[in-house]
Amino acid sequence: MTPEHVDVAVVGSVNIDLVASVARLPMPGETVPAVAYDQFLGGKGSNQAIAAARLGRSVAFVGLIGDDREGASVRTMLRAEHVDVAYLGTEPGVPTGRAIVLVDAAAENSIVVVSGANGLLSPRHIAAAADLLARASVVVSQLEIRMETVVAAAQAAAGTFVLNPAPAQPLGADLLALVDVLVVNEIEYEVVTGHPLPEDLAQVARELAALALPGSVVVTIGSRGALVWEGAGVTHVPAPVVSVVDTTGAGDTFIGALADALSRDEALLPAARWAVHAAAVSVGALGATTGMPGPAEVLASVGRSADAVPAVLPGGRDRAEEAGAHHG
Ligand code: RIB
């Protein structure tokens, strides 16, 4: 990466994921035994940065770790992934973020985030990274850091600003006005629009148009792929049928791959298709970043796919559903 140009800058969280595999997720008040336990690098921001870096982009990460052993290990692991950590700060006296992740035999998960140092990433850190954010082709952020920090990042971004409002929170008009591409899953769609995601794609288009956003919206719909709205109709991008071990980080893989493609000046629709395939590859391994693919694996997945051109569906069933797709 040259100092002059960065493909993707990610402003966000980094965690150590404490992952327990369980036969089934516990009910409230219930204790269940783990069948396996491991620790992985995680956090939505860090995951998205790694996804873009694995696909060959120059990537810089703006975040905050604690001055604990976990923080030192995070820095080492991000460097090993070729992510520039010059803007990864260390906050004395606070723990590095952690996430407690449960994954069941059906690959369903539940996650509790302990934000630690991530919660202290502030507009002051964004001001210190202003030079980076002004020269990145794509700037990506999520909501595991303070909203005011995300707004500052959006203001500092000179290139395409991609927002993944996860975990779901209502978004202010000031922030939405700065977003070029909003990437939501079905839960986030409901929080942002106030409506559950409709089956009818024409209705999705109407609900998104009502938000009067300046940018575009991508809705990730798990094993069914993604929906892309660029101000008119909604285009469905189907996902390939894959076997699933763990979907933790699949959404992050999607966003990292989308940022990768957008930074290569791909249009949004082919970028979303690339991202759908990257996410589908990623779910084959345990851990948020373990299964994140390189470009050859994504290309192979695209090549195996029957849908060379994403189809605009008027709201009916899609091929992935008809084929009985697994998670993607
Ligand atoms: O999106 C998955 C991520 O959410 C995990 O890696 C965990 O750290 C939480 O931030």
Side-chain angles (χ1 to χ4, degrees):
M1 181 171 59
T2 68
E4 293 77 32
H5 176 258
V6 173
D7 295 322
V8 178
V10 179
V11 179
S13 59
V14 59
N15 295 326
I16 294 291
D17 288 357
L18 316 176
V19 182
S21 301
V22 292
R24 61 180 179 79
L25 300 175
M27 308 282 285
E30 188 186 17
T31 302
V32 298
V35 294
Y37 173 80
D38 214 334
Q39 297 193 8
F40 299 97
L41 183 56
K44 296 186 193 304
S46 170
N47 292 344
Q48 293 172 16
I50 290 171
R54 291 249 178 110
L55 290 166
R57 301 286 63 75
S58 59
V59 178
F61 180 62
V62 182
L64 209 51
I65 49 177
D67 60 349
D68 48 8
R69 200 172 43 193
E70 288 78 5
S73 139
V74 160
R75 191 177 290 281
T76 303
M77 287 190 279
L78 280 170
R79 276 202 186 111
E81 294 283 353
H82 306 288
V83 173
D84 179 1
V85 290
Y87 297 89
L88 176 63
T90 303
E91 190 71 22
V94 293
T96 297
R98 284 170 179 70
I100 297 141
V101 182
L102 303 182
V103 182
D104 75 9
E108 290 296 331
N109 65 40
S110 68
I111 303 177
V112 176
V113 171
V114 185
S115 104
N118 297 307
L120 298 179
L121 189 70
S122 73
R124 182 172 58 82
H125 298 100
I126 302 305
D131 161 62
L132 166 74
L133 301 178
R135 62 191 156 87
S137 299
V138 177
V139 174
V140 182
S141 198
Q142 330 70 30
L143 302 184
E144 282 185 335
I145 55 173
R146 294 180 190 175
M147 189 66 87
E148 59 179 344
T149 309
V150 175
V151 172
Q155 287 166 340
T160 302
F161 181 66
V162 177
L163 178 66
N164 169 219
Q169 288 176 47
L171 302 174
D174 56 339
L175 178 56
L176 283 172
L178 297 167
V179 177
D180 296 301
V181 184
L182 185 70
V183 184
V184 292
N185 65 15
E186 293 181 57
I187 294 168
E188 293 143 14
Y189 177 96
E190 184 166 352
V191 171
V192 170
T193 64
H195 307 282
L197 182 69
E199 283 292 316
D200 177 9
L201 299 190
Q203 180 61 17
V204 176
R206 281 192 291 274
E207 291 179 1
L208 292 176
L211 294 175
L213 302 173
S216 303
V217 179
V218 178
V219 186
T220 57
I221 50 175
S223 61
R224 296 180 297 151
L227 307 176
V228 177
W229 178 83
E230 294 182 90
V234 169
T235 303
H236 177 224
V237 182
V241 177
V242 292
S243 305
V244 184
V245 174
D246 181 10
T247 60
T248 312
D252 298 330
T253 307
F254 182 98
I255 289 155
L258 191 80
D260 153 43
L262 293 176
S263 79
R264 292 185 279 105
D265 290 329
E266 287 270 13
L268 186 59
L269 196 53
R273 185 162 188 265
W274 178 253
V276 160
H277 282 272
V281 174
S282 76
V283 300
L286 184 68
T289 64
T290 315
M292 284 179 179
E297 290 165 275
V298 184
L299 274 173
S301 177
V302 171
R304 284 191 298 272
S305 160
D307 59 300
V309 177
V312 180
L313 300 184
R317 285 168 58 80
D318 60 81
R319 269 176 288 179
E321 282 174 319
E322 284 164 7
H326 301 267
H327 256 294

